[in-house]
Amino acid sequence: MSRTLPALNPPHHTRVRRSLGNMFDRKCMVDIKDAIEESVDQLLDRLAEKMCADGEADFSALVSEELPMNAIGGWLQLPPADYPYLRALAHDQVFTQELLPSTSQLALSDAATGQLEAYFRELVQERRRVPGNDPVSGWLRTWDGLESDREAADEAVYLLALLVFLAAPETTSTMLSTMVWLLLKHPRQFGWLRAHPEHVPDAVEEVLRYDSPNHIISRVAPEETTLAGVRIEKDRMVHLMIGAANHDPKHHLDPGAFDIRRKAAHLSFSSGIHYCLGAPLARLEATTLLTGLLGRLPGLKLSGSPVWAPRVGFRRITELRVVES
Ligand code: HEM
């Protein structure tokens, strides 16, 4: 992971990031929009059927875990049959980025990273053999122009494919579950949103501020420095607590209040040169899902408390039971 984009510094970072271009530009978003809407429709159908049959359903398993995988898998043109396997590996892999992982969690993460490495190296070779109109084939074309050595180009594209895949489902699934949990916990705001759908994007931003899917970004100090009055030695790791920063009372009035009308800036997609490249996709998934919910399931309610995985850095709701009244 130390060779993937978030761990790189300029000028290497600049070169690699430029090679990706504007991944989710306007044209791409228009192309993706229909697929996301279709996926939301199908997932809400299944949710409604399950609630009808069983009285309640797990929103997290039926919708939040599925939509981001469909979105990134569809965009990268991965076989849908591989989605459950890849999703399970993404859940296990995340522990390397946790604050204080246990030895067994690191072992799990190591094994998952090995399997993901094999999968994405093979994917790059497959796209070499049969190039198509997909991002991985596009990155190969770009890197063939940047590197004279084919192996070096393949290596660069493998690291990009791995990182883009890993960055997407875990974070976005958490955001979708958190969004539904917070809005159902605040039924007046959910109801208000139905009458004011133009504020759906604001609601998504407040969800990101209030409970960021990723609470920690880590950096290593390249030289001794002083940050906000704290001396940091060279090579020391610094954890930036972005979840806490989003609740800084110096920046957010009454930060503990969930208020979808506040229009506050947040750090949940980071800031500066490492700003999240997938933010437009994550936002599109959240706004499409929320619009679908308001239109189709306005009577949705929580039927239990959410269950969280015991993690600090990357939040994860593993169960979110809902009913339709
Ligand atoms: C709600 C969902 C998401 C959240 C909260 C999120 C959050 C973040 C954060 C905090 C970073 C910065 C990491 C750092 O500074 O060390 C980041 C970087 C990144 N994200 Fe996201 N992300 C999300 C979804 C996505 C998606 C869907 C994709 C891809 C389709 C993606 C691709 C990336 C990439 C490629 C980077 C590395 C950028 C760089 O280092 O230059 N993310 N993301």
Side-chain angles (χ1 to χ4, degrees):
M1 293 308 291
S2 62
R3 290 186 300 138
T4 60
L5 207 48
L8 304 181
N9 287 322
H12 191 187
H13 175 267
T14 320
R15 184 174 188 239
V16 176
R17 183 148 172 147
R18 261 193 210 137
S19 79
L20 283 170
N22 187 0
M23 286 202 307
F24 297 107
D25 60 12
R26 252 166 203 262
K27 185 188 168 311
C28 174
M29 295 311 283
V30 170
D31 293 347
I32 283 183
K33 198 168 178 286
D34 288 348
I36 305 266
E37 278 172 1
E38 195 181 319
S39 185
V40 164
D41 267 350
Q42 284 169 0
L43 295 172
L44 293 186
D45 281 348
R46 277 176 40 198
L47 181 77
E49 278 163 25
K50 184 82 177 155
M51 287 190 298
C52 194
D54 298 351
E56 62 166 8
D58 179 1
F59 191 90
S60 164
L62 287 171
V63 182
S64 309
E65 291 273 303
E66 296 288 327
L67 181 59
M69 195 62 229
N70 292 349
I72 194 71
W75 184 66
L76 289 171
Q77 297 183 25
L78 306 177
D82 294 351
Y83 293 177
Y85 171 71
L86 290 170
R87 188 174 28 234
L89 292 180
H91 285 322
D92 287 349
Q93 201 283 336
V94 81
F95 290 114
T96 41
Q97 297 155 74
E98 258 305 324
L99 190 55
L100 296 168
S102 67
T103 312
S104 59
Q105 285 171 334
L106 280 181
L108 205 61
S109 185
D110 230 22
T113 308
Q115 283 167 277
L116 286 163
E117 175 174 357
Y119 185 94
F120 284 99
R121 281 194 188 283
E122 176 50 31
L123 180 77
V124 171
Q125 291 315 310
E126 194 189 295
R127 302 284 153 100
R128 269 264 180 240
R129 286 191 292 272
V130 191
N133 186 19
D134 63 280
V136 176
S137 302
W139 299 334
L140 280 170
R141 285 189 283 274
T142 303
W143 276 90
D144 283 344
L146 291 172
E147 288 281 356
S148 51
D149 176 19
R150 199 166 154 144
E151 265 183 39
D154 286 359
E155 185 68 14
V157 176
Y158 147 67
L159 288 169
L160 286 178
L162 174 72
L163 191 262
V164 168
F165 168 74
L166 279 176
E170 195 76 7
T171 46
T172 316
S173 295
T174 301
M175 173 183 59
L176 301 179
S177 282
T178 307
M179 174 177 83
V180 171
W181 169 60
L182 284 171
L183 284 166
L184 298 188
K185 228 174 84 139
H186 296 87
R188 265 210 240 148
Q189 297 194 50
F190 190 52
W192 181 84
L193 211 46
R194 248 197 111 200
H196 301 90
E198 69 280 10
H199 287 278
V200 161
D202 298 337
V204 171
E205 296 312 304
E206 175 61 351
V207 168
L208 284 162
R209 181 202 71 85
Y210 188 85
D211 195 348
S212 178
N214 179 356
H215 274 204
I216 299 167
I217 295 176
S218 304
R219 295 280 185 266
V220 177
E223 56 201 42
E224 189 184 310
T225 186
T226 301
L227 199 60
V230 180
R231 199 172 74 85
I232 298 159
E233 287 159 33
K234 183 178 182 304
D235 295 334
R236 267 296 168 104
M237 183 171 273
V238 179
H239 298 296
L240 312 168
M241 313 301 284
I242 54 172
N246 286 341
H247 282 247
D248 184 345
K250 286 193 209 124
H251 292 273
H252 307 284
L253 194 68
D254 195 8
F258 176 72
D259 177 359
I260 59 177
R261 279 182 282 182
R262 74 164 68 225
K263 291 188 193 294
H266 57 75
L267 289 172
S268 301
F269 288 126
S270 188
S271 167
I273 63 165
H274 292 285
Y275 185 80
C276 176
L277 276 162
L281 177 62
R283 285 182 166 125
L284 178 67
E285 289 176 50
T287 51
T288 310
L289 177 61
L290 186 48
T291 305
L293 280 174
L294 290 165
R296 291 187 49 180
L297 298 168
L300 203 65
K301 292 200 167 42
L302 295 171
S303 60
S305 301
V307 180
W308 276 275
R311 306 195 312 206
V312 180
F314 280 74
R315 306 269 286 158
R316 183 180 168 207
I317 290 181
T318 54
E319 190 182 287
L320 183 66
R321 306 213 72 85
V322 291
V323 290
E324 164 78 337
S325 58

